[in-house]
Amino acid sequence: MLSKVYLGDVSPGRCLAGTFNSLIAILNEVTLPPALNHMQSDSFEHRRRKLTEASLSALNMSTSRVSGQAFFNTLVEQMAKALEVEFVIAGKVAKDNGKDVIQTIAVWAGNALADNISYPLEGTPCENVSCQEMCFHPKGIQQDYPDDRLLVEMGAESYIGMPMISTAGLTLGILVALDTRPMTELTHYHALSLLSIFASRCSAELEHQQRNEQLTKLVEQRTEELMQAHQQLKAQQHLASLGATVAGVSHQINTPIGVSVTAISYMQEQFRELLNGLDRPDMDPEQFKQVLTGLSNACDDLARNVHRSVEIIEHFKQLAMDEETGESRVLQLKKHLEVIVDTQLYRLQELGLSYDIDCPADVKIKTRASLLNHIFTNLLANTCTHGFKQVSPDGHIKIKVWREGKRLAIRYLDNGQGVSPEQLPHLFEPFYTTERNQGRLGLGLNIVFNAVSKLKGQIQANRRQGLEFLIYLPLSGATDS
């Protein structure tokens, strides 16, 4: 590294290689040019120090309370004013199609901030700076770098630049000052002092930004992974809910099908007896009448249970269609609630639970049926899973619907074991469950909350004799028949 720099050397520009830890020491050993030896060197040194101190104070004051982009914008503006130069550029080293480029962070041009640009390093004085060299050209910068068209466009005559070096010794960017006039000795030395100090500050700011960007990307990545996991678990919960509905339908349909099979077997036996009796002339008319009556009753049972089977299948098909389309349609609310409960009836019967739906028969609502299905399927599942741990003949579920101002209110209440005051605020949180050791996901009531929110409604939970849910849906979606 050169130990002395003649700042008055106005021959073609020079670049000093090496690190900058000892830059201030080098600058303090600067020897005035021979042409100034007869002048009052003490006076020149005094002016230089005073100018540097004043500029440092002003720059520190203007940049100390800003960070990020505001820091770079303020720095280039105040640096240009302190050095009385036309341009100051702060840029970071980047890659574009495999080539090294400078992506400017802030550019001061004339009397205002200019738009940021990207330009190639090859064949420019900034290429030397990016190689961790201190470059200064008091004049003739365009002649020294004839291939740099940007210098021509700027009308640059002089140039001085410093690299921004990371704590790991890597070049992060550059900080340069350019002017349309040759640089004076005083400006030259003054610029070296300021650029060397604030290039280090720029490096720290860039490293801070890089750490923040890396942290932000990491947070976004983890958030995306959690969202995907959440969606997968919700999908599993939906599948589990669908599986429970299918199981309920299978269980429900077993009874009418079983009765129908029994009725058909009975009818076959009675028909055979009837046919055999017709061949006997001594058949008692009263006995014949009894056979016909039995056949009639069996036909009634068969018709009733076949109709019930069809009804169960239709309920399941409707819920499946709602889930597939997700479209809004007009629902007769009481009937639709009965359909939902009907698909879960086997779970209520296993626990000995009764239910009651108190809803005006004429209330209709245009809504997304699939979301309404999610709400009540999961509320019923929550009651059966957590509200009642064993068969409870006195267990009861009450669903009541009424109008309240400009909204439709739905009250779901069971008289099960309820929840503690500590548990109540967390019921709608995702993955909150008191039975994780039993394989519960804790998503049922979160799905209820999200479904109500998608319907632009509100839901709240209250501790009563059991557990109460109050659901409010916009009245604009409800109509009378």
Side-chain angles (χ1 to χ4, degrees), residues 127-241:
E127 183 177 21
N128 296 327
V129 179
S130 69
C131 293
Q132 301 191 5
E133 296 177 347
M134 299 175 286
C135 277
F136 53 88
H137 296 259
K139 67 175 184 178
I141 185 64
Q142 292 186 43
Q143 289 74 28
D144 293 342
Y145 294 90
D147 296 330
D148 190 341
R149 303 307 303 168
L150 187 59
L151 294 175
V152 177
E153 294 175 9
M154 298 169 74
E157 176 64 22
S158 53
Y159 175 102
I160 183 168
M162 293 281 182
M164 304 175 190
I165 302 178
S166 71
T167 53
L170 303 176
T171 302
L172 299 177
I174 61 170
L175 182 62
V176 300
L178 305 94
D179 202 12
T180 56
R181 305 161 298 173
M183 283 190 185
T184 65
E185 298 301 330
L186 190 60
T187 300
H188 191 183
Y189 193 95
H190 185 37
L192 281 174
S193 301
L194 295 183
L195 289 175
S196 64
I197 293 171
F198 280 93
S200 298
R201 171 75 192 280
C202 288
S203 300
E205 188 66 34
L206 279 180
E207 287 190 294
H208 179 68
Q209 287 185 3
Q210 289 178 351
R211 285 192 294 269
N212 282 345
E213 289 173 0
Q214 291 171 354
L215 182 60
T216 300
K217 289 181 180 179
L218 183 61
V219 170
E220 290 175 350
Q221 179 183 348
R222 292 293 184 267
T223 301
E224 179 65 23
E225 291 173 355
L226 286 173
M227 289 297 294
Q228 290 178 358
H230 189 191
Q231 292 301 321
Q232 290 173 357
L233 287 173
K234 286 177 67 176
Q236 292 178 14
Q237 184 79 3
H238 285 316
L239 289 174
S241 178

Side-chain angles (χ1 to χ4, degrees), residues 57-76:
S57 177
L59 281 165
N60 277 324
M61 184 175 296
S62 60
T63 60
S64 60
R65 295 185 179 181
V66 291
S67 61
Q69 188 61 47
F71 164 76
F72 288 104
N73 290 346
T74 302
L75 176 64
V76 296

Side-chain angles (χ1 to χ4, degrees), residues 259-329:
V259 172
S260 299
V261 170
T262 301
I264 291 173
S265 298
Y266 174 78
M267 291 171 65
Q268 289 175 330
E269 181 181 345
Q270 292 300 305
F271 272 119
R272 282 194 295 269
E273 183 176 343
L274 182 61
L275 289 173
N276 293 333
L278 290 176
D279 294 335
R280 298 197 310 268
D282 60 342
M283 183 175 183
D284 185 1
E286 187 63 28
Q287 183 182 5
F288 183 78
K289 184 178 180 180
Q290 289 178 356
V291 170
L292 291 179
T293 300
L295 286 171
S296 176
N297 292 336
C299 285
D300 290 341
D301 287 342
L302 179 61
R304 184 168 52 254
N305 283 279
V306 168
H307 177 75
R308 174 59 179 158
S309 300
V310 171
E311 184 181 48
I312 293 171
I313 293 172
E314 287 299 319
H315 288 173
F316 177 72
K317 285 173 59 179
Q318 186 60 64
L319 294 181
M321 288 177 62
D322 291 338
E323 191 68 31
E324 182 177 354
T325 63
E327 297 177 352
S328 295
R329 64 185 180 91

